[in-house]
Amino acid sequence: METTLNNNDNVINGRLIYTNHVAQTLDDITARLKPVSVHVLVDANTASFVLPRLQAESQTIGNAHIMETGGAGDLHKNLDTLAGIWQKLGDDGATRRSLLINIGGGVITDMGAFAAATFKRGIRFINVPTTLLGAVDASVGGKSGINFNSLKNEVGVFADAETVIISTTFFNTLNSQELLSGYAEMIKHAMLTSDEMTWRLLRYDVTAFDPDTLLKLLQESVEVKCRYVNADPTDKGLRQALNFGHTFGHAFEELAMERDSPLSHGYAVAFGMVAALILSHMKEGFPSDSLHRYSDYVRDNYGAFPISCKDYDRLLDFMAHDKKNSNPEGYTFTLLKAFGDPVIGAEATTGDIKAALDIYCDMIN
Amino acid sequence: METTLNNNDNVINGRLIYTNHVAQTLDDITARLKPVSVHVLVDANTASFVLPRLQAESQTIGNAHIMETGGAGDLHKNLDTLAGIWQKLGDDGATRRSLLINIGGGVITDMGAFAAATFKRGIRFINVPTTLLGAVDASVGGKSGINFNSLKNEVGVFADAETVIISTTFFNTLNSQELLSGYAEMIKHAMLTSDEMTWRLLRYDVTAFDPDTLLKLLQESVEVKCRYVNADPTDKGLRQALNFGHTFGHAFEELAMERDSPLSHGYAVAFGMVAALILSHMKEGFPSDSLHRYSDYVRDNYGAFPISCKDYDRLLDFMAHDKKNSNPEGYTFTLLKAFGDPVIGAEATTGDIKAALDIYCDMIN
């Protein structure tokens, strides 16, 4: 199946606001929504680094009920934390006309969105992603949920935020690795769009970002995701383009977990996209020079995720599990004919994948 | 606010199937939906009285994964039971293309619908209500959820079943009280519709029902609810007509709970509608003869729920809590000018309510 998405499609998404004036924006939106009460969800990180500033600058946040989850990170994205949020919303008197504002990374926005979507059968919520990965990856698409039974996002719903406020003002609290992790998803969006956008992003040094420049790049990137999500809101076809690099990436992530040296999601995707471009070159004629230029960029900025042929079978296991529900016979990938020309549902054999991993080892190790 | 609903509006609701051939219908639907697996949720009652028959008659149910909740009743409509359903779905290999069939009363269909709507961000589900109350009350409207933090339906979503199969074939397992409890909601729908429909229902003896006749009456009744729900899917205005009798009814229900002699929901509504018709007579000129004819019917079939003037303040407390989120100044009711002519958002004072309760005591005690 080839994509038929027209990159010039008009993207109408009034839910997204790009701004570096977050406090004022929150006050403006709240004045319009007139909630009977405002509740704010933060994690330990945003409680320390983001909340005090917003409490001082925004009347809405200053007067809100504050809920802090036990800690930050994926481990806390579970049923216990969710039940605690429901409980606190009830205890703080939230009604169907209240508003929940989720301030944090993907864990907080995913879990807070799910809590809001299910409390009294749904209250309004605003997401304020405070990480680059959260802003680019978790801010559109309406995916919400928690991990359950040791499975990521096993329980959740599709629920749209009233507004997502996308800003770079909080990113000065992130280290280089966190910035690069989010940036990998931006590069992925560029690769789905054009040569020009891809090379422009690879030339930009996100670790020395200027807030307003990065906000513009972020908007351009999120709009790519919006086009795919709008074309396929419930994730049944075209949207799979956004999985580019993720089949390999998730397998690398799980292998790293088994080695007890976890790889952050964005880093896994950065390495996964090298492997996916190799497979794209083999199966779809993706240009070799572009592949090498990207793999040089990854090595220079993300370092290496070394594997050997002894890891291939384990990686294939992970990939088979990753996509087990879609194609029982073979392996399915999103590949690229060229930057801006994705192929969804490309088939590959075990032999293809091992050959691609051989080349990956030569290039990255 | 008066209703503007036209009773002749075309009701399009392909999700509802009225049939007394449930097994065949389930097989037909499943053949069309082609789920990768079928999972069936039952409670202790339906596991004993309904499931064996469907397992024998329906290939779909015969081959399905069966989940049984710990027991029947509202006490089990909680987060623990819900988590158990999610867990079992996962353990039984359910995927996003699986199908959940909920077979039971309102507890099972509400909770099963919520489990399906949230498992892997939503799988398809079919509801098969097995009680008259469930068929008439819980089968349309898309309300799903669980009790939480001692509050009814505190957590849930609006989620539409793929299909609701409405049938009277299972009602022979219900006793007279269970039949009359559901019938009160059917009478309410009739009162919102016309004199003719109301008197026709009051003449019918539901405790000696014929399955096909009752199925026709049930269809007529559910279609009344559909018209209101279709006109107001998220319960913000017109749908409040369906609360007729429920402000008094819920207060009676809670008072009975405090007296340690619980009143079933339908009985509370039957008594609540007597009080609501009295208030309708006082405030909206509802005809006195119709009021007396209905209260005679209630006394003959439902008996009495005796109260005294010492209970008034407690009842007012319950009513204030019941509607506290909508009107902080006064009490709001759905009343009737006549059968078929509801008034939504009618205001009443404490004095009005006490006067209505005085008359209620004279009529019912």
Side-chain angles (χ1 to χ4, degrees), chain A residues 104-297:
Chain A
V107 168
I108 287 293
T109 54
D110 277 15
M111 188 165 49
F114 186 48
T118 51
F119 183 75
K120 294 183 187 288
R121 299 198 193 96
I123 66 172
R124 295 168 295 179
F125 64 97
I126 292 173
N127 281 350
V128 185
T130 57
T131 64
L132 182 55
L133 187 62
V136 72
D137 203 32
S139 60
V140 284
K143 289 185 177 176
S144 79
I146 54 167
N147 305 328
F148 182 80
N149 196 15
S150 306
L151 293 166
K152 291 185 81 155
N153 302 312
E154 177 79 340
V155 166
V157 291
F158 287 95
D160 278 317
E162 199 67 33
T163 306
V164 180
I165 301 178
I166 296 180
S167 172
T168 58
T169 46
F170 309 115
F171 297 171
N172 54 9
T173 66
L174 306 176
N175 61 33
S176 293
Q177 199 189 342
E178 289 167 319
L179 288 166
L180 282 164
S181 184
Y183 204 59
E185 293 284 355
M186 287 176 64
I187 293 168
K188 181 195 75 182
H189 292 160
M191 286 182 176
L192 293 172
T193 305
S194 69
D195 270 309
E196 184 279 325
M197 189 172 164
T198 306
W199 303 134
R200 186 155 43 83
L201 260 66
L202 297 196
R203 279 193 303 271
Y204 186 73
D205 180 5
V206 71
T207 63
F209 75 95
D210 158 72
D212 291 334
T213 308
L214 183 56
L215 186 61
K216 284 207 184 70
L217 291 176
L218 191 49
Q219 174 164 2
E220 189 182 5
S221 188
V222 171
E223 283 173 356
V224 173
K225 183 164 183 184
C226 284
R227 280 197 293 269
Y228 281 98
V229 169
N230 287 347
D232 178 19
T234 54
D235 200 4
K236 297 195 161 43
L238 208 53
R239 187 164 168 172
Q240 286 167 32
L242 298 169
N243 282 331
F244 178 70
H246 279 61
T247 304
F248 284 109
H250 285 151
F252 291 166
E253 220 173 335
E254 296 189 74
L255 187 65
M257 194 79 76
E258 279 196 345
R259 291 175 176 173
D260 277 331
S261 60
L263 197 59
S264 77
H265 177 71
Y267 274 61
V269 168
F271 297 122
M273 290 194 293
V274 174
L277 287 181
I278 294 166
L279 196 58
S280 297
H281 173 68
M282 291 164 47
K283 306 284 291 181
E284 305 289 344
F286 181 84
S288 164
D289 59 331
S290 295
L291 160 60
H292 281 94
R293 196 165 153 193
Y294 172 67
S295 89
D296 289 347
Y297 170 84

Side-chain angles (χ1 to χ4, degrees), chain A residues 83 86-87 91 95-97 114 117-121 143-144 148-149 153-158 234 325, chain B residues 83 86-87 91 95-97 114 117-121 143-144 148-149 153-158 234 325:
Chain A
W86 285 331
Q87 177 82 40
D91 292 348
T95 78
R96 285 174 62 185
R97 292 178 299 152
F114 186 48
T118 51
F119 183 75
K120 294 183 187 288
R121 299 198 193 96
K143 289 185 177 176
S144 79
F148 182 80
N149 196 15
N153 302 312
E154 177 79 340
V155 166
V157 291
F158 287 95
T234 54
N325 299 330
Chain B
W86 285 330
Q87 177 82 41
D91 291 349
T95 77
R96 285 174 60 185
R97 292 178 299 154
F114 186 48
T118 51
F119 183 74
K120 294 184 187 286
R121 300 199 192 94
K143 289 186 177 176
S144 79
F148 182 80
N149 196 15
N153 303 312
E154 176 78 342
V155 166
V157 291
F158 286 96
T234 53
N325 299 331

